[in-house]
Every structure is written in structure tokens, then in C-alpha cells.
Amino acid sequence: MTIVATAAALSLPISLSRSSKLNTKKGVRGGFRVVAVFGEEGGTGKKSAWGTLFDVEDPRSKVPQCKGKFLDVHQAVEVARYDIQYCDWRARRDVLTIMLLHEKVVEVLNPLAREYKSIGTMKKELAELQGELAQAHKQVHISEARVGTALDKLAYMEELVNDRLLQDRNTTASDQTSPSPSTSTQSLEVVQRKLQRKSLNVSGPVKPYHPRLKNFWYPVAFSTDLKEDTMMPIDCFEEQWVVFRGNDGKPGCVRNTCAHRACPLHLGSVNEGRIQCPYHGWEYSTDGKCEKMPSTRLLNVKIKSLPCFEQEGMIWIWPGNDPPTATIPSLQPPPGFQIHAEIVMELPVEHGLLLDNLLDLAHAPFTHTSTFAKGWSVPSFVKFLTPTSGLQGYWDPYPIDMEFRPPCMVLSTIGISKPGKLEGQNTRQCATHLHQLHVCLPSSRQKTRLLYRMSLDFAPLLKYLPFVQYLWRHFAEQVLNEDLRLVVGQQERMLNGANIWNWPVSYDKLGVRYRLWREAVDQGAKQLPFSESP
Ligand code: FES
Ligand SMILES: [Fe+2]
């Protein structure tokens, strides 16, 4: 960052303004200019000096007239550029207003001037200034909101440009001979081509899982559910495992099949940190080694075990053949949140379909009419914006931030202003929030183990209410059932050949991105989309 300061820069007020491309001078490009507004003597020349600093042309007269016209990407970017220029101009006006008012306050409060003014005059002047400052303050907030909107627009434009680039890349030679789609008569064709490009083929029986999808850490249970002497059978990638705690309290995950005659181990019991087969009593430690064989000589026998660790209230396994990565991801709610509910459900759908469902919010006012979206109106346009990264962003017009976290997690933060009302505000503007974690563990090609965790940044005592866990579970099940009947139906059709991603539209962005990520995994791509590491 380049900072230019004049010799008198230490005297206040100063002007801080972000250099825009349009206002770039050598040495200050992309940085901040810091310029003294007036010297120690102040004086009559101030206003003209400020005038030059803030004398930036009002860009509104130059904005291209495009209301109601169909714009191509370049024209739209030009409009967005004028938006930013306007924000810059508006911000300068706000700063100038505040500086002038600040100067007035200093003058009124000047102890040397006080003897010439009565207390009454000063009170009146200060009261007037207070009103003007409040007005300027409000103006700054409006400008702040404008900047936010301009940033949103830019993020949206970025999407369009990226889509256009992809489209250009995929355009066939014959397409290239057609004129560029810059008029409204050709827009339909463009939209159709774009949709065709984006359509994915997810149909037929689920393909066998690519080994690469197994090379991730997967949370399989909540710590509180795994007591000292309990076992937890878990299906993961169509293999049967059982999780239990060893003598040291640490969890282990072993194959849920006895080495002797393939009896399910989870029907047995845990004794002194070993799982005992219910058939002939063979006992295995958490690393899979058979340590006891009653009624016969002990043989050197071992069943397969997986790397298994406990972190931040969850049990994690690594089902892949590659060596596990050194770090287990963190799925903790953001600071200030308290966990209120942890629920596990076994669901009769493939985990990809469940993820598709969880990454979609546009269905809420149609599907969740008896639960959380009861009474919601249907917005004229629903968008998912991704300003920071490809798999993370926020819903417009809902105050909901959402992220797909590979390989199978969805994190969302929901701003709550009034119960049942979600429209019109972003999460930052809401005073209270609900945070959700959904882990969709791929149990088998038609089964998912869902781990759901709900946290709140308010009402910390709520979780101590008797039976409140049952209430949360009841509510979570109700919401899920509204989805499940639809997703099960989709699954049936998919197995019979229907494409469940036949015609994606703009609000399907996050779901489509998940499918592109999954497709890249299934094809063994070296670099996965939307991620920095391979
Ligand atoms: S089948 Fe397990 S001990 Fe015999
Ligand atoms: Fe839903």
C-alpha cells in the first residue's frame, strides 16, 4: 500500500480515500491517499483546498442509459464500474460533510472563542450541529449500504463473466460462426445454451464410489453418544464398521464382522475396552487385534481397523487407502455460539441427493410449508452469491450464509430477526443467529447417516430445559420428512434413468458446484474445482 503524506499530514482532519482506477496517479495506484486538509494555521484558504480534494466529478451524468435493455457482459461490467465510481464520489461527499461539521464543532468548542458567546448561543449552535451530524451519520450508513450493493453486483457480474468464459470455451466451431449474442432477440438462445452447458447427468444407479472419495476425514458420531461400554455400528462406503472405546477411553473403529465366522460384532458387548463377539466370545481391541479366544488356544488374528480419532465432540474415521492427512478439519460453530442439539438419523437416500437438497434454499417456501417456511412469500428472484470462494456464500433475499465443505458437510448460519421472518436482511444485520451443521456420511449407495448439530448465539439456558432435546429432534424430523418424501421420489426416478440435474437454473448454483466437485472426484481429477489443494 502506498501512502503519500504531505508535510502537514499530522494535523487533522485528513482525507482518506481509496484510489480508484479512474483517479489513479503515479505512486498511489491501488492504495490510499493521505493528504493534510489544512495546516496548523487553518484560515480562510481551507475551503478552496478542500474543494480540490473533493472536487470529483459527479459520475451520474455519464452513466450509460440502459434501463430495460438487454446488456451483454461487457456493457454490464461497464455499468458496475459506474456504480463503483458513484460510490467513490458519494463517499467523498460524506467525508467532506463530516469534516466541515467537525470543523464547526471545534470552532464552537474553542475556549478562546467562548468568551464572545453566551452559553445560550453555544447550546443552540451545538444542538444544530448535533442534528446535522446525525444527518451526516445517516448518509454515511446509506453510502455503506450502497457499497455493499455494488459489491454484490460485482460478485454477480463476476459469475456472469466466468460463465461466459466457460461458455466460450465450450462453444463448438459451428457456434462460433453465429454473431455474438448481444441483442435481446438472441438472449433466449444464450440462456438455453448456458443451461445446456450447465446441465449435469446424474441418472441411473449410483456408480461405485471412487477410492478418492474415501480419502477424507469423515465424522461418524457425536462423542456424547459413544459411552464407555457402548458400541456404534456404522456403515460407511458400503462396508460395515463398529466404533467403541478402548480401555484408555480413546475411540476405535474396527470391521463389524468377526474373524471367526463373520458374526456381527455390534450384537455383542464391550468389556474392559474390548469388543466381544456374541457367538463364541472372541474379543478384539480398538486396533482390531484379537486378544481373547475362549475355549481354544489364542491365535494371531486381526480384523481390519481404520484410523479413528476424537476431536471437538465428534468421532472421525479415515476410510481411504491413502495415508490420512495430518489435520482433522474443525466443524465447530463460530465463536459466541453454544451447541443446543446433536441428532443422528439414518436416511434411505444416497448422500449426494441429500446434499443437493441441503444446498438448495429456493425450495423452502414450497416444501417446508408446515414448518420453518410457513407463510413465507415466494421471492421474484432467488440467488446464491459467492463473493469469497466457490463453495461458500450467502442467499439473496434470505439472511442465510451457506457453505459446502468437502467431502460431505453443509454449514449454514441463519439470521433471525423475528421468528418465522427471514426476508429482507443479511445475517450481519440480524441480532440473533442459528448455526447448523449437516454431515451426510455415505453409508451406502442408497443410505446416508446424517449427523445434525444445531447451535444458537442466544438463549444459552434453553438447553437446560427438561426434554428440550426431544423437542429439537421432533422439529428436525418434521423438517426432514418434508424433504425426504421428495428426495426418495427423486431417487426412485433417478434409478430408473431420470436425470436429477436435468435443467439447473440460477439458484441451483451451489448444488451444481457440489456436483461438479463430485464429478471431478469420480473422474480422478488431479485438481479439484473450487479448492486450492489437489
Ligand atoms: S463368530 Fe465370532 S467368535 Fe465365533
Ligand atoms: Fe428442505
Side-chain angles (χ1 to χ4, degrees):
M1 180 188 299
T2 311
I3 293 179
V4 177
T6 67
L10 289 176
S11 63
L12 292 172
I14 58 169
S15 115
L16 289 173
S17 64
R18 184 122 195 134
S19 303
S20 68
K21 274 189 180 173
L22 296 158
N23 190 27
T24 299
K25 289 182 185 168
K26 197 173 181 185
V28 295
R29 192 182 183 88
F32 287 93
R33 282 191 304 155
V34 179
V35 186
V37 171
F38 57 87
E40 281 180 10
E41 73 282 2
T44 52
K46 283 180 293 200
K47 278 183 185 163
S48 58
W50 290 16
T52 54
L53 282 166
F54 291 100
D55 189 17
V56 175
E57 199 185 345
D58 182 348
R60 280 176 292 185
S61 57
K62 291 189 174 172
V63 177
Q65 292 306 307
C66 51
K67 251 192 177 165
K69 287 185 193 166
F70 179 82
L71 302 180
D72 70 14
V73 169
H74 299 292
Q75 288 167 325
V77 168
E78 187 66 2
V79 171
R81 198 169 69 85
Y82 273 105
D83 273 357
I84 299 289
Q85 201 182 342
Y86 176 73
C87 286
D88 179 68
W89 174 80
R90 187 68 251 178
R92 281 165 196 262
R93 308 274 317 163
D94 294 343
V95 171
L96 179 62
T97 309
I98 288 173
M99 283 165 58
L100 286 167
L101 288 168
H102 172 258
E103 187 194 339
K104 277 192 197 170
V105 173
V106 170
E107 272 174 17
V108 171
L109 292 175
N110 182 355
L112 296 175
R114 229 176 257 165
E115 56 189 281
Y116 304 113
K117 287 181 187 169
S118 68
I119 298 288
T121 310
M122 271 181 65
K123 270 173 80 178
K124 193 172 161 239
E125 283 182 7
L126 280 172
E128 280 169 12
L129 282 169
Q130 194 180 27
E132 287 183 58
L133 274 168
Q135 184 60 30
H137 198 221
K138 192 177 144 207
Q139 199 56 48
V140 168
H141 279 297
I142 294 171
S143 286
E144 199 186 339
R146 280 181 194 278
V147 170
T149 313
L151 286 173
D152 286 352
K153 267 194 196 167
L154 273 182
Y156 185 57
M157 296 309 305
E158 192 188 38
E159 296 302 325
L160 286 183
V161 171
N162 288 342
D163 283 353
R164 175 66 188 269
L165 290 175
L166 278 170
Q167 186 186 334
D168 287 350
R169 219 178 291 156
N170 292 354
T171 304
T172 60
S174 61
D175 284 336
Q176 281 165 5
T177 57
S178 63
S180 84
S182 58
T183 64
S184 54
T185 49
Q186 286 158 325
S187 61
L188 184 64
E189 188 195 331
V190 174
V191 172
Q192 282 177 346
R193 274 222 310 261
K194 196 162 134 188
L195 289 169
Q196 276 161 17
R197 175 187 64 73
K198 275 189 173 173
S199 89
L200 296 156
N201 189 5
V202 183
S203 58
V206 181
K207 289 183 217 122
Y209 291 110
H210 193 280
R212 176 133 184 230
L213 191 59
K214 300 179 185 177
N215 286 322
F216 288 93
W217 283 108
Y218 284 86
V220 293
F222 292 112
S223 295
T224 45
D225 292 336
L226 190 64
K227 309 276 185 284
E228 219 171 80
D229 53 356
T230 55
M231 297 155 290
M232 203 175 278
I234 282 157
D235 288 359
C236 184
F237 291 111
E238 306 190 272
E239 290 183 318
Q240 289 148 335
W241 304 93
V242 58
V243 178
F244 64 101
R245 291 188 187 276
N247 241 351
D248 54 4
K250 291 182 181 162
C253 177
V254 301
R255 180 90 74 198
N256 191 7
T257 306
C258 182
H260 180 214
R261 288 180 55 200
C263 180
L265 291 174
H266 78 274
L267 298 177
S269 57
V270 174
N271 302 315
E272 296 170 352
R274 289 185 300 272
I275 190 164
Q276 186 186 51
C277 178
Y279 215 169
H280 309 93
W282 290 20
E283 290 186 21
Y284 303 88
S285 56
T286 50
D287 64 359
K289 187 162 177 28
C290 185
E291 293 187 338
K292 278 196 175 176
M293 284 180 192
S295 319
T296 185
R297 189 166 55 87
L298 182 66
L299 301 170
N300 187 14
V301 169
K302 203 170 180 223
I303 53 174
K304 190 173 159 83
S305 66
L306 292 177
C308 180
F309 290 93
E310 190 164 19
Q311 178 182 282
E312 296 176 347
M314 297 179 105
I315 315 285
W316 297 71
I317 60 168
W318 178 274
N321 289 328
D322 285 2
T325 54
T327 321
I328 297 176
S330 176
L331 294 177
Q332 284 286 77
F337 282 79
Q338 269 197 20
I339 295 167
H340 283 253
E342 289 180 333
I343 296 164
V344 180
M345 293 182 224
E346 303 285 347
L347 305 174
V349 289
E350 201 272 333
H351 83 290
L353 278 103
L354 194 62
L355 282 167
D356 291 341
N357 172 266
L358 293 168
L359 295 170
D360 166 29
L361 195 66
H363 73 272
F366 301 98
T367 308
H368 297 292
T369 47
S370 304
T371 55
F372 70 90
K374 191 174 184 173
W376 282 20
S377 57
V378 178
S380 51
F381 207 62
V382 176
K383 284 181 291 192
F384 185 74
L385 297 159
T386 50
T388 47
S389 84
L391 298 175
Q392 187 178 8
Y394 60 95
W395 287 95
D396 178 17
Y398 299 112
I400 298 181
D401 298 341
M402 194 176 270
E403 178 187 355
F404 166 64
R405 181 88 56 88
C408 64
M409 275 76 90
V410 180
L411 295 106
S412 53
T413 303
I414 301 159
I416 303 169
S417 46
K418 288 180 200 158
K421 293 277 173 219
L422 284 179
E423 289 150 281
Q425 285 188 309
N426 67 38
T427 46
R428 285 183 303 279
Q429 288 170 321
C430 295
T432 50
H433 303 86
L434 180 148
H435 183 266
Q436 298 188 108
L437 164 71
H438 289 89
V439 177
C440 302
L441 183 73
S443 299
S444 74
R445 282 183 269 177
Q446 281 185 49
K447 266 200 300 180
T448 300
R449 179 177 171 85
L450 175 71
L451 274 62
Y452 172 72
R453 183 149 81 182
M454 192 275 285
S455 313
L456 300 172
D457 65 355
F458 62 99
L461 300 180
L462 202 58
K463 63 183 193 175
Y464 300 111
L465 279 183
F467 308 116
V468 74
Q469 280 287 331
Y470 296 101
L471 268 181
W472 289 128
R473 187 172 186 101
H474 173 70
F475 189 66
E477 279 175 353
Q478 262 194 320
V479 172
L480 207 68
N481 283 335
E482 284 177 318
D483 286 315
L484 261 188
R485 66 199 176 97
L486 311 182
V487 180
V488 166
Q490 275 184 300
Q491 180 166 264
E492 282 167 13
R493 282 151 185 78
M494 179 185 82
L495 294 175
N496 287 325
N499 182 4
I500 55 157
W501 275 110
N502 191 44
W503 199 268
V505 293
S506 58
Y507 53 68
D508 291 321
K509 175 157 71 177
L510 194 53
V512 167
R513 289 189 171 189
Y514 157 64
R515 284 294 174 178
L516 292 174
W517 178 88
R518 173 100 178 255
E519 209 172 69
V521 171
D522 286 346
Q523 287 166 1
K526 271 193 180 157
Q527 178 73 41
L528 296 178
F530 316 112
S531 64
E532 279 151 27
S533 53

